[in-house]
Amino acid sequence: MMSLPDSLIKPVQKFLAYLESERRYSPLTVEGYQRSLQQQAELLVSMNISDWRQASLDDLRQLAMRLNRQKLSASSIANKLSALRSFYQYLLEQGQIKANPARSLSAPKQGRPLPKNLDVDTLNQLLNIDDESPLGRRDAAIMELFYASGLRLAELCSLDLKDIDLQRRELKVLGKGRKERLVPFGRKAQQALQEWFKVRGQLCPIGEKAVFVSKRQTRMTTRSVQQRLNVWAQRQQLGNHVNPHKLRHSFATHMLESSGDLRVVQELLGHANLSTTQVYTHLDFQHLAKVYDAAHPRAKRSK
């Protein structure tokens, strides 16, 4: 642990005592504040700042960026900066500073890591299920429908029989914000659903509305669907983790690569904003450049 000057140590010690005695914070919470402020005091020293009162908003922004470069999670950085804001508010209330420089400080934005999509060959390996049991047919229908429609996990689990039109190959989906949308699906998913419906009665009682039911004869939970996907990833020897979000991401990526129509993919995914789809369905630059060169009148090279 770095040796720190008293001008950085003593104000923190008084603040921690205040949290413990006046605010009645638990010892565990106080210890968390202590660790956080210790780390940030060390960063200030590395920036040639030896007194909390010397730090400006720009200095604290630089401190936040240094925390960001340590590859901490977004929530961890937010917690540390929250402790810093509380500490500076204490100094303000004690009359040691005239303004709280950390008041408007926010954590650096971090992009959400996207799941890697499965390539077409890997998906074919996953979906090539040779199991005619009721559970096998059910799981095949689940995975085919995920990849065919790009549904969210909760959307798939909440599907009722009335929401599926097998003849038209359409789903009526209630998405986020209780917004309803129609989603098409292909022949492979249609066939898988037909096979599942032939044996569905063996797993559920008459009158059950849910499309997908468990061995307990009730609607499948999100957790049970996730577990079944992992079971099949192992059985099909994929060698990597498979989850519903990865299938949704694969659907979106493959649709966008084939069609290039971002608006259609946005509608299929049920995204309110196009910007969400742009992040979610990332394309590599070479593919974008290839489409651009082929499509834009001014991009075509003369021969």
Side-chain angles (χ1 to χ4, degrees):
M1 186 177 294
M2 181 186 295
S3 177
L4 299 173
D6 287 347
S7 53
L8 288 174
I9 294 176
K10 288 188 176 180
V12 172
Q13 290 175 337
K14 292 180 180 180
F15 173 61
L16 297 176
Y18 162 77
L19 292 180
E20 193 168 12
S21 61
E22 300 293 329
R23 301 294 299 275
R24 300 293 183 181
Y25 282 12
S26 70
L28 192 62
T29 300
V30 173
E31 183 181 345
Y33 272 88
Q34 191 277 329
R35 286 197 306 269
S36 178
L37 292 170
Q38 168 77 24
Q39 181 183 12
Q40 294 178 81
E42 292 175 357
L43 288 174
L44 287 180
V45 169
S46 70
M47 296 162 55
N48 296 318
I49 297 174
S50 58
D51 192 313
W52 294 102
R53 295 170 295 182
Q54 295 174 352
S56 65
L57 175 57
D58 286 341
D59 293 327
L60 298 184
R61 284 173 175 163
Q62 184 179 346
L63 181 149
M65 292 304 297
R66 293 192 179 200
L67 287 173
N68 193 42
R69 286 198 292 270
Q70 293 180 3
K71 297 183 179 179
L72 301 173
S73 68
S75 61
S76 179
I77 294 175
N79 288 337
K80 290 180 184 298
L81 296 184
S82 176
L84 190 64
R85 282 191 294 271
S86 297
F87 172 60
Y88 270 110
Q89 186 61 31
Y90 165 80
L91 294 181
L92 178 65
E93 293 170 358
Q94 295 296 310
Q96 297 188 39
I97 55 176
K98 294 182 179 180
N100 181 350
R103 183 175 181 180
S104 60
L105 188 65
S106 59
K109 291 185 178 179
Q110 297 186 351
R112 291 177 298 175
L114 290 171
K116 292 181 179 179
N117 62 282
L118 302 174
D119 60 41
V120 175
D121 289 340
T122 302
L123 276 163
N124 286 335
Q125 183 178 341
L126 173 66
L127 298 176
N128 187 22
I129 293 177
D130 185 19
D131 186 341
E132 297 299 318
S133 70
L135 289 181
R137 293 186 181 188
R138 181 201 65 188
D139 293 348
I142 286 173
M143 292 189 288
E144 287 284 2
L145 198 56
F146 265 135
Y147 181 51
S149 62
L151 292 181
R152 299 178 178 94
L153 174 57
E155 292 171 346
L156 180 130
C157 290
S158 64
L159 283 176
D160 290 334
L161 293 174
K162 63 179 177 58
D163 299 325
I164 296 184
D165 188 331
L166 275 178
Q167 293 303 114
R168 296 172 62 90
R169 301 205 301 270
E170 287 181 351
L171 300 172
K172 186 167 64 176
V173 180
L174 192 63
K176 286 187 176 180
R178 301 194 64 78
K179 292 182 179 179
E180 194 174 275
R181 70 185 191 277
L182 283 177
V183 179
F185 57 88
R187 293 189 183 278
K188 288 287 188 181
Q190 179 191 42
Q191 293 167 3
L193 284 167
Q194 288 171 335
E195 291 302 310
W196 159 234
F197 287 150
K198 290 177 183 178
V199 296
R200 176 178 172 275
Q202 298 179 32
L203 287 181
C204 67
I206 297 174
E208 173 59 54
K209 298 178 180 179
V211 173
F212 298 111
V213 293
S214 68
K215 290 189 293 185
R216 297 180 180 180
Q217 300 187 334
T218 58
R219 184 184 299 273
M220 290 188 75
T221 64
T222 56
R223 179 61 180 159
S224 61
V225 171
Q226 290 172 321
Q227 289 174 336
R228 293 304 296 174
L229 290 191
N230 278 325
V231 166
W232 282 106
Q234 294 175 13
R235 286 188 186 178
Q236 302 299 84
Q237 299 180 339
L238 296 191
N240 57 359
H241 181 69
V242 174
N243 56 50
H245 199 56
K246 186 174 287 189
L247 291 180
R248 174 172 162 87
H249 187 60
S250 300
F251 160 82
T253 303
H254 296 165
M255 281 292 298
L256 191 55
E257 286 177 344
S258 298
S259 70
D261 196 325
L262 196 63
R263 290 287 183 183
V264 168
V265 176
Q266 175 195 6
E267 184 68 24
L268 292 172
L269 292 173
H271 285 160
N273 299 313
L274 189 63
S275 59
T276 307
T277 315
Q278 288 172 320
V279 173
Y280 195 98
T281 58
H282 66 291
L283 282 173
D284 62 71
F285 181 77
Q286 289 183 345
H287 179 76
L288 287 173
K290 183 178 180 181
V291 172
Y292 178 87
D293 286 343
H296 197 286
R298 290 286 192 179
K300 295 175 181 177
R301 298 175 176 85
S302 59
K303 294 183 180 179

